[in-house]
Amino acid sequence: MSRTSLAEGIVLRAHDVGEADRYLLIFTKEFGRVAVRAPGARRPGSKLQCTLASAHLLLTLKESSAGLLLTQAELRSPIQPQSLPAFAVTSQAIELLLQIFQDGDPQPELYAQTLVFLCSCSQDPEQKFLAYGLLLLSHLG
């Protein structure tokens, strides 16, 4: 990864740290799962307020001595399940991704399938999750 990089990603988990920062685990198309700090993301009017869990973002990442920093984020589409079963299935899929993949393991095909799954999860979530789970199993071998 160069000093500053562009990436497309899905926020898997967001933790608030300090007074205004947010720590994110993001599944990116280009770099796989990455841990990123978003300085000032919780300040009113911040350009990084869109960094909530389950958001599809276009990111600008900068390397620093303390790790990756998120300098810009553009919301591509929020991933908002429309029902409780869809929310539960989305949460299970995100937990699976967090458990299976390590940092820095790019999976562009799986990223694309994950994005399609998360965006279409509102219709028949249990069947979609079964198909997605089988896709993950086949990917693992």
Side-chain angles (χ1 to χ4, degrees), residues 84-107:
L84 188 57
F87 175 78
V89 164
T90 301
S91 298
Q92 287 176 338
I94 287 172
E95 286 301 317
L96 275 175
L97 286 171
L98 287 169
Q99 294 296 320
I100 291 173
F101 294 106
Q102 301 300 314
D103 289 351
D105 183 18
Q107 304 287 333

PDB file of all heavy atoms in Angstrom, residues 84-107:
ATOM      1  N   LEU A  84     -36.376  -7.065  11.200  1.00  0.00           N
ATOM      2  CA  LEU A  84     -35.559  -7.706  12.228  1.00  0.00           C
ATOM      3  C   LEU A  84     -34.862  -8.966  11.714  1.00  0.00           C
ATOM      4  O   LEU A  84     -33.670  -9.149  11.967  1.00  0.00           O
ATOM      5  CB  LEU A  84     -36.415  -8.008  13.462  1.00  0.00           C
ATOM      6  CG  LEU A  84     -35.648  -8.501  14.684  1.00  0.00           C
ATOM      7  CD1 LEU A  84     -34.571  -7.515  15.096  1.00  0.00           C
ATOM      8  CD2 LEU A  84     -36.605  -8.757  15.821  1.00  0.00           C
ATOM      9  N   PRO A  85     -35.540  -9.859  10.953  1.00  0.00           N
ATOM     10  CA  PRO A  85     -34.823 -11.017  10.409  1.00  0.00           C
ATOM     11  C   PRO A  85     -33.683 -10.613   9.472  1.00  0.00           C
ATOM     12  O   PRO A  85     -32.613 -11.216   9.497  1.00  0.00           O
ATOM     13  CB  PRO A  85     -35.900 -11.800   9.652  1.00  0.00           C
ATOM     14  CG  PRO A  85     -37.182 -11.391  10.281  1.00  0.00           C
ATOM     15  CD  PRO A  85     -36.985  -9.963  10.704  1.00  0.00           C
ATOM     16  N   ALA A  86     -33.887  -9.574   8.667  1.00  0.00           N
ATOM     17  CA  ALA A  86     -32.827  -9.107   7.766  1.00  0.00           C
ATOM     18  C   ALA A  86     -31.653  -8.546   8.564  1.00  0.00           C
ATOM     19  O   ALA A  86     -30.489  -8.773   8.225  1.00  0.00           O
ATOM     20  CB  ALA A  86     -33.372  -8.064   6.805  1.00  0.00           C
ATOM     21  N   PHE A  87     -31.946  -7.827   9.655  1.00  0.00           N
ATOM     22  CA  PHE A  87     -30.888  -7.306  10.519  1.00  0.00           C
ATOM     23  C   PHE A  87     -30.094  -8.447  11.150  1.00  0.00           C
ATOM     24  O   PHE A  87     -28.863  -8.409  11.205  1.00  0.00           O
ATOM     25  CB  PHE A  87     -31.485  -6.409  11.600  1.00  0.00           C
ATOM     26  CG  PHE A  87     -30.470  -5.930  12.597  1.00  0.00           C
ATOM     27  CD1 PHE A  87     -29.611  -4.906  12.278  1.00  0.00           C
ATOM     28  CD2 PHE A  87     -30.378  -6.524  13.855  1.00  0.00           C
ATOM     29  CE1 PHE A  87     -28.655  -4.471  13.186  1.00  0.00           C
ATOM     30  CE2 PHE A  87     -29.439  -6.105  14.765  1.00  0.00           C
ATOM     31  CZ  PHE A  87     -28.566  -5.063  14.432  1.00  0.00           C
ATOM     32  N   ALA A  88     -30.790  -9.469  11.632  1.00  0.00           N
ATOM     33  CA  ALA A  88     -30.115 -10.610  12.257  1.00  0.00           C
ATOM     34  C   ALA A  88     -29.217 -11.329  11.260  1.00  0.00           C
ATOM     35  O   ALA A  88     -28.078 -11.689  11.580  1.00  0.00           O
ATOM     36  CB  ALA A  88     -31.150 -11.576  12.831  1.00  0.00           C
ATOM     37  N   VAL A  89     -29.693 -11.522  10.058  1.00  0.00           N
ATOM     38  CA  VAL A  89     -28.912 -12.218   9.026  1.00  0.00           C
ATOM     39  C   VAL A  89     -27.703 -11.375   8.616  1.00  0.00           C
ATOM     40  O   VAL A  89     -26.599 -11.894   8.453  1.00  0.00           O
ATOM     41  CB  VAL A  89     -29.823 -12.548   7.815  1.00  0.00           C
ATOM     42  CG1 VAL A  89     -29.027 -12.913   6.596  1.00  0.00           C
ATOM     43  CG2 VAL A  89     -30.769 -13.674   8.187  1.00  0.00           C
ATOM     44  N   THR A  90     -27.898 -10.075   8.473  1.00  0.00           N
ATOM     45  CA  THR A  90     -26.786  -9.178   8.138  1.00  0.00           C
ATOM     46  C   THR A  90     -25.720  -9.222   9.234  1.00  0.00           C
ATOM     47  O   THR A  90     -24.526  -9.306   8.950  1.00  0.00           O
ATOM     48  CB  THR A  90     -27.302  -7.737   7.954  1.00  0.00           C
ATOM     49  OG1 THR A  90     -28.270  -7.725   6.910  1.00  0.00           O
ATOM     50  CG2 THR A  90     -26.192  -6.786   7.615  1.00  0.00           C
ATOM     51  N   SER A  91     -26.152  -9.194  10.476  1.00  0.00           N
ATOM     52  CA  SER A  91     -25.216  -9.256  11.606  1.00  0.00           C
ATOM     53  C   SER A  91     -24.447 -10.576  11.621  1.00  0.00           C
ATOM     54  O   SER A  91     -23.243 -10.600  11.883  1.00  0.00           O
ATOM     55  CB  SER A  91     -25.956  -9.081  12.922  1.00  0.00           C
ATOM     56  OG  SER A  91     -26.566  -7.823  12.969  1.00  0.00           O
ATOM     57  N   GLN A  92     -25.122 -11.676  11.334  1.00  0.00           N
ATOM     58  CA  GLN A  92     -24.451 -12.986  11.291  1.00  0.00           C
ATOM     59  C   GLN A  92     -23.410 -13.032  10.179  1.00  0.00           C
ATOM     60  O   GLN A  92     -22.312 -13.563  10.379  1.00  0.00           O
ATOM     61  CB  GLN A  92     -25.475 -14.096  11.083  1.00  0.00           C
ATOM     62  CG  GLN A  92     -26.321 -14.384  12.289  1.00  0.00           C
ATOM     63  CD  GLN A  92     -27.393 -15.427  11.994  1.00  0.00           C
ATOM     64  OE1 GLN A  92     -27.775 -15.641  10.847  1.00  0.00           O
ATOM     65  NE2 GLN A  92     -27.870 -16.073  13.041  1.00  0.00           N
ATOM     66  N   ALA A  93     -23.734 -12.482   9.031  1.00  0.00           N
ATOM     67  CA  ALA A  93     -22.793 -12.473   7.910  1.00  0.00           C
ATOM     68  C   ALA A  93     -21.556 -11.647   8.244  1.00  0.00           C
ATOM     69  O   ALA A  93     -20.426 -12.048   7.949  1.00  0.00           O
ATOM     70  CB  ALA A  93     -23.472 -11.942   6.653  1.00  0.00           C
ATOM     71  N   ILE A  94     -21.763 -10.510   8.886  1.00  0.00           N
ATOM     72  CA  ILE A  94     -20.635  -9.666   9.264  1.00  0.00           C
ATOM     73  C   ILE A  94     -19.759 -10.375  10.295  1.00  0.00           C
ATOM     74  O   ILE A  94     -18.526 -10.339  10.210  1.00  0.00           O
ATOM     75  CB  ILE A  94     -21.144  -8.297   9.772  1.00  0.00           C
ATOM     76  CG1 ILE A  94     -21.646  -7.483   8.580  1.00  0.00           C
ATOM     77  CG2 ILE A  94     -20.072  -7.545  10.533  1.00  0.00           C
ATOM     78  CD1 ILE A  94     -22.341  -6.196   8.927  1.00  0.00           C
ATOM     79  N   GLU A  95     -20.371 -11.049  11.259  1.00  0.00           N
ATOM     80  CA  GLU A  95     -19.587 -11.808  12.243  1.00  0.00           C
ATOM     81  C   GLU A  95     -18.775 -12.918  11.576  1.00  0.00           C
ATOM     82  O   GLU A  95     -17.628 -13.162  11.947  1.00  0.00           O
ATOM     83  CB  GLU A  95     -20.497 -12.382  13.330  1.00  0.00           C
ATOM     84  CG  GLU A  95     -20.996 -11.362  14.316  1.00  0.00           C
ATOM     85  CD  GLU A  95     -19.876 -10.633  15.048  1.00  0.00           C
ATOM     86  OE1 GLU A  95     -18.891 -11.282  15.478  1.00  0.00           O
ATOM     87  OE2 GLU A  95     -19.975  -9.412  15.174  1.00  0.00           O
ATOM     88  N   LEU A  96     -19.372 -13.597  10.607  1.00  0.00           N
ATOM     89  CA  LEU A  96     -18.633 -14.622   9.863  1.00  0.00           C
ATOM     90  C   LEU A  96     -17.404 -14.037   9.179  1.00  0.00           C
ATOM     91  O   LEU A  96     -16.317 -14.607   9.236  1.00  0.00           O
ATOM     92  CB  LEU A  96     -19.533 -15.282   8.814  1.00  0.00           C
ATOM     93  CG  LEU A  96     -20.407 -16.424   9.264  1.00  0.00           C
ATOM     94  CD1 LEU A  96     -21.313 -16.876   8.124  1.00  0.00           C
ATOM     95  CD2 LEU A  96     -19.575 -17.587   9.751  1.00  0.00           C
ATOM     96  N   LEU A  97     -17.586 -12.901   8.520  1.00  0.00           N
ATOM     97  CA  LEU A  97     -16.463 -12.259   7.849  1.00  0.00           C
ATOM     98  C   LEU A  97     -15.369 -11.877   8.832  1.00  0.00           C
ATOM     99  O   LEU A  97     -14.180 -12.049   8.554  1.00  0.00           O
ATOM    100  CB  LEU A  97     -16.934 -11.009   7.097  1.00  0.00           C
ATOM    101  CG  LEU A  97     -17.711 -11.247   5.824  1.00  0.00           C
ATOM    102  CD1 LEU A  97     -18.291  -9.945   5.304  1.00  0.00           C
ATOM    103  CD2 LEU A  97     -16.820 -11.882   4.767  1.00  0.00           C
ATOM    104  N   LEU A  98     -15.767 -11.367   9.989  1.00  0.00           N
ATOM    105  CA  LEU A  98     -14.781 -10.981  10.999  1.00  0.00           C
ATOM    106  C   LEU A  98     -14.012 -12.187  11.527  1.00  0.00           C
ATOM    107  O   LEU A  98     -12.822 -12.092  11.830  1.00  0.00           O
ATOM    108  CB  LEU A  98     -15.468 -10.240  12.150  1.00  0.00           C
ATOM    109  CG  LEU A  98     -15.931  -8.829  11.834  1.00  0.00           C
ATOM    110  CD1 LEU A  98     -16.831  -8.305  12.942  1.00  0.00           C
ATOM    111  CD2 LEU A  98     -14.750  -7.907  11.635  1.00  0.00           C
ATOM    112  N   GLN A  99     -14.672 -13.331  11.642  1.00  0.00           N
ATOM    113  CA  GLN A  99     -14.031 -14.536  12.162  1.00  0.00           C
ATOM    114  C   GLN A  99     -13.144 -15.225  11.126  1.00  0.00           C
ATOM    115  O   GLN A  99     -12.111 -15.773  11.468  1.00  0.00           O
ATOM    116  CB  GLN A  99     -15.091 -15.532  12.654  1.00  0.00           C
ATOM    117  CG  GLN A  99     -15.880 -15.054  13.838  1.00  0.00           C
ATOM    118  CD  GLN A  99     -15.020 -14.856  15.068  1.00  0.00           C
ATOM    119  OE1 GLN A  99     -14.132 -15.648  15.339  1.00  0.00           O
ATOM    120  NE2 GLN A  99     -15.262 -13.783  15.781  1.00  0.00           N
ATOM    121  N   ILE A 100     -13.554 -15.194   9.873  1.00  0.00           N
ATOM    122  CA  ILE A 100     -12.868 -15.969   8.840  1.00  0.00           C
ATOM    123  C   ILE A 100     -11.617 -15.287   8.302  1.00  0.00           C
ATOM    124  O   ILE A 100     -10.579 -15.921   8.136  1.00  0.00           O
ATOM    125  CB  ILE A 100     -13.836 -16.287   7.675  1.00  0.00           C
ATOM    126  CG1 ILE A 100     -14.899 -17.270   8.154  1.00  0.00           C
ATOM    127  CG2 ILE A 100     -13.099 -16.839   6.480  1.00  0.00           C
ATOM    128  CD1 ILE A 100     -16.002 -17.516   7.152  1.00  0.00           C
ATOM    129  N   PHE A 101     -11.700 -13.993   8.032  1.00  0.00           N
ATOM    130  CA  PHE A 101     -10.612 -13.324   7.326  1.00  0.00           C
ATOM    131  C   PHE A 101      -9.683 -12.575   8.258  1.00  0.00           C
ATOM    132  O   PHE A 101     -10.114 -11.982   9.239  1.00  0.00           O
ATOM    133  CB  PHE A 101     -11.173 -12.376   6.262  1.00  0.00           C
ATOM    134  CG  PHE A 101     -11.868 -13.120   5.168  1.00  0.00           C
ATOM    135  CD1 PHE A 101     -13.238 -13.112   5.082  1.00  0.00           C
ATOM    136  CD2 PHE A 101     -11.150 -13.865   4.263  1.00  0.00           C
ATOM    137  CE1 PHE A 101     -13.886 -13.815   4.097  1.00  0.00           C
ATOM    138  CE2 PHE A 101     -11.788 -14.586   3.267  1.00  0.00           C
ATOM    139  CZ  PHE A 101     -13.158 -14.559   3.190  1.00  0.00           C
ATOM    140  N   GLN A 102      -8.413 -12.616   7.910  1.00  0.00           N
ATOM    141  CA  GLN A 102      -7.383 -11.887   8.637  1.00  0.00           C
ATOM    142  C   GLN A 102      -7.119 -10.565   7.930  1.00  0.00           C
ATOM    143  O   GLN A 102      -7.496 -10.381   6.780  1.00  0.00           O
ATOM    144  CB  GLN A 102      -6.093 -12.718   8.686  1.00  0.00           C
ATOM    145  CG  GLN A 102      -6.248 -14.065   9.342  1.00  0.00           C
ATOM    146  CD  GLN A 102      -6.700 -13.948  10.782  1.00  0.00           C
ATOM    147  OE1 GLN A 102      -6.168 -13.147  11.536  1.00  0.00           O
ATOM    148  NE2 GLN A 102      -7.683 -14.737  11.172  1.00  0.00           N
ATOM    149  N   ASP A 103      -6.432  -9.671   8.602  1.00  0.00           N
ATOM    150  CA  ASP A 103      -6.096  -8.381   7.996  1.00  0.00           C
ATOM    151  C   ASP A 103      -5.189  -8.588   6.788  1.00  0.00           C
ATOM    152  O   ASP A 103      -4.302  -9.443   6.791  1.00  0.00           O
ATOM    153  CB  ASP A 103      -5.394  -7.481   9.007  1.00  0.00           C
ATOM    154  CG  ASP A 103      -6.341  -6.985  10.084  1.00  0.00           C
ATOM    155  OD1 ASP A 103      -7.556  -7.201   9.946  1.00  0.00           O
ATOM    156  OD2 ASP A 103      -5.860  -6.383  11.053  1.00  0.00           O
ATOM    157  N   GLY A 104      -5.440  -7.812   5.747  1.00  0.00           N
ATOM    158  CA  GLY A 104      -4.566  -7.806   4.587  1.00  0.00           C
ATOM    159  C   GLY A 104      -4.713  -8.986   3.647  1.00  0.00           C
ATOM    160  O   GLY A 104      -3.767  -9.345   2.965  1.00  0.00           O
ATOM    161  N   ASP A 105      -5.868  -9.615   3.588  1.00  0.00           N
ATOM    162  CA  ASP A 105      -6.099 -10.753   2.693  1.00  0.00           C
ATOM    163  C   ASP A 105      -7.145 -10.351   1.658  1.00  0.00           C
ATOM    164  O   ASP A 105      -8.330 -10.557   1.864  1.00  0.00           O
ATOM    165  CB  ASP A 105      -6.573 -11.957   3.523  1.00  0.00           C
ATOM    166  CG  ASP A 105      -6.758 -13.205   2.696  1.00  0.00           C
ATOM    167  OD1 ASP A 105      -6.214 -13.276   1.576  1.00  0.00           O
ATOM    168  OD2 ASP A 105      -7.463 -14.116   3.158  1.00  0.00           O
ATOM    169  N   PRO A 106      -6.733  -9.737   0.517  1.00  0.00           N
ATOM    170  CA  PRO A 106      -7.718  -9.248  -0.452  1.00  0.00           C
ATOM    171  C   PRO A 106      -8.517 -10.370  -1.101  1.00  0.00           C
ATOM    172  O   PRO A 106      -7.965 -11.403  -1.479  1.00  0.00           O
ATOM    173  CB  PRO A 106      -6.890  -8.503  -1.499  1.00  0.00           C
ATOM    174  CG  PRO A 106      -5.476  -8.788  -1.214  1.00  0.00           C
ATOM    175  CD  PRO A 106      -5.376  -9.463   0.109  1.00  0.00           C
ATOM    176  N   GLN A 107      -9.814 -10.176  -1.213  1.00  0.00           N
ATOM    177  CA  GLN A 107     -10.734 -11.144  -1.805  1.00  0.00           C
ATOM    178  C   GLN A 107     -11.732 -10.383  -2.686  1.00  0.00           C
ATOM    179  O   GLN A 107     -12.896 -10.229  -2.315  1.00  0.00           O
ATOM    180  CB  GLN A 107     -11.498 -11.896  -0.708  1.00  0.00           C
ATOM    181  CG  GLN A 107     -10.640 -12.592   0.312  1.00  0.00           C
ATOM    182  CD  GLN A 107      -9.993 -13.825  -0.265  1.00  0.00           C
ATOM    183  OE1 GLN A 107     -10.496 -14.433  -1.182  1.00  0.00           O
ATOM    184  NE2 GLN A 107      -8.845 -14.174   0.273  1.00  0.00           N
TER     185      GLN A 107
END
